[in-house]
Amino acid sequence: MQYALFAQLGGPADGLDWGLPGPSWLYYAGVWLLLFAVETGVKWHDGSYPVGTFFPFHTVYIGAGLYTLGLVHYLDWVAGRVLADFRPAMRVANAHYDELRYELTTMPAGRMLPISIIGVAAAVLVILVTPRDQVSLKLATSLPSAITDGLFYLFDGFIFGVLIYHTVRQLRIVNLISTQNTKVDLFRAGPLYSLSRLTVQTAIGWLILTYGWNLPAPEHLQSPVSVLLVVPFSTIALVTFIGPLMGMHRLLEVEKGRLMGEASSRMESAIKELHRRLDSSDLGDMAALNSTLSSLDIEQRTLNKLRTWPW
């Protein structure tokens, strides 16, 4: 199996340590500061804005690709942790579990690159069809600015492609694990929803990326291109949040229906026995039958209260 271009970024999935001193987010922040200094310096040099000031949109624009790369890195770490929490609900051998864990936390580079190249092409298209936005957002204000801004756009497009592939792939594997490798226990449903922590955080990450990009420049949302990006990205976040929860909910509903059906059958048998005794005036040991009926009633009420959602 091939390792992804950014696979194992920051080390194994059970930790965020890069083997370097300090937490990994400090290195992301350091790279962002360096790139922001380059962007700001170019703008100061060509007079886009006065020396000593900065343009709010550029703080987000410069960091979008790094944030996305960091999000992929972080989600792989989360995936390793939630799968470990999900382990008690899995009916797989340890070797198969290790394979699933590797699949969940590692992207194959060969399959990721085509989507990332499409992301780069999309970034080029955005640049070409939004000349007015480029002016209002103070992009490509000079030849050096056109070079740096163009490189940032291309990098963002590439990394957005990585995130799209990463999200779709992880969702597919989560669905595979939850539907084919899970022993559903309605009385121990906690581990069953541990995978939802990964999908919820993925959805939140998408929303931060989608709306954080436009927050410093709300007028940017008036652009048709921005709308075309916000709608699908928001849809991806919604599907990422709801899809796995619905899948696990359906599994738990099926199991709850099975248990309720068994309890109803036993209650039906007990009631038939009660009717038989009443019809034949066989009233001996009614206390035991009454206790049975009470116990079955408690079982039905208990099963009815069991949750099939994580809240």
Side-chain angles (χ1 to χ4, degrees), residues 6-298:
F6 299 111
Q8 304 298 336
L9 180 64
D14 57 356
L16 284 169
D17 182 17
W18 285 2
L20 297 172
S24 58
W25 65 266
L26 283 177
Y27 295 92
Y28 280 113
V31 173
W32 173 80
L33 285 172
L34 176 62
L35 296 178
F36 182 65
V38 170
E39 174 74 1
T40 304
V42 170
K43 302 302 181 184
W44 287 351
H45 181 266
D46 65 21
S48 296
Y49 37 84
V51 175
T53 64
F54 63 89
F55 191 56
F57 174 75
H58 292 168
T59 63
V60 174
Y61 158 68
I62 295 303
L66 289 173
Y67 165 82
T68 305
L69 185 58
L71 179 61
V72 170
H73 172 205
Y74 171 74
L75 291 175
D76 282 342
W77 173 72
V78 172
R81 293 177 66 88
V82 300
L83 189 62
D85 292 339
F86 189 74
R87 182 68 178 96
M90 298 177 69
R91 53 170 184 262
V92 297
N94 288 336
H96 190 197
Y97 168 80
D98 291 339
E99 291 176 2
L100 290 171
R101 184 176 184 277
Y102 180 84
E103 287 282 339
L104 190 62
T105 59
T106 308
M107 291 186 296
R111 298 177 184 177
M112 176 194 70
L113 287 175
I115 298 179
S116 295
I117 292 173
I118 293 174
V120 171
V124 172
L125 182 62
V126 168
I127 293 173
L128 294 177
V129 301
T130 58
R132 292 183 179 179
D133 289 346
Q134 307 302 313
V135 174
S136 64
L137 296 176
K138 300 184 185 298
L139 299 174
T141 52
S142 62
L143 179 59
S145 174
I147 294 173
T148 56
D149 291 339
L151 290 175
F152 289 142
Y153 249 104
L154 295 179
F155 176 71
D156 289 349
F158 184 90
I159 299 301
F160 290 168
V162 171
L163 180 60
I164 291 172
Y165 175 78
H166 183 271
T167 300
V168 173
R169 187 171 187 275
Q170 278 199 336
L171 279 180
R172 180 183 64 81
I173 297 172
V174 165
N175 181 68
L176 174 68
I177 292 172
S178 61
T179 58
Q180 299 184 18
N181 301 278
T182 303
K183 51 186 179 184
V184 180
D185 187 343
L186 205 60
F187 293 93
R188 295 177 179 83
L192 295 176
Y193 278 108
S194 58
L195 289 178
S196 67
R197 299 206 312 270
L198 171 62
T199 57
V200 166
Q201 292 186 60
T202 301
I204 293 172
W206 269 100
L207 291 175
I208 291 174
L209 176 64
T210 302
Y211 294 98
W213 175 272
N214 295 289
L215 187 62
E219 66 277 6
H220 194 42
L221 280 172
Q222 298 176 5
S223 167
V225 174
S226 294
V227 174
L228 288 175
L229 291 177
V230 167
V231 171
F233 282 12
S234 299
T235 302
I236 290 174
L238 182 62
V239 171
T240 301
F241 174 71
I242 293 178
L245 289 176
M246 288 293 294
M248 188 55 66
H249 168 70
R250 284 193 296 268
L251 287 176
L252 288 169
E253 279 291 303
V254 169
E255 177 64 10
K256 183 174 182 176
R258 185 186 69 81
L259 294 176
M260 291 289 289
E262 291 179 354
S264 295
S265 295
R266 294 189 182 97
M267 178 65 81
E268 182 182 14
S269 297
I271 291 175
K272 285 182 178 179
E273 175 63 17
L274 173 63
H275 291 170
R276 186 195 66 79
R277 293 190 183 190
L278 292 173
D279 293 341
S280 62
S281 299
D282 180 11
L283 303 181
D285 199 19
M286 290 294 288
L289 182 57
N290 182 63
S291 177
T292 299
L293 288 167
S294 296
S295 297
L296 289 172
D297 179 62
I298 292 172

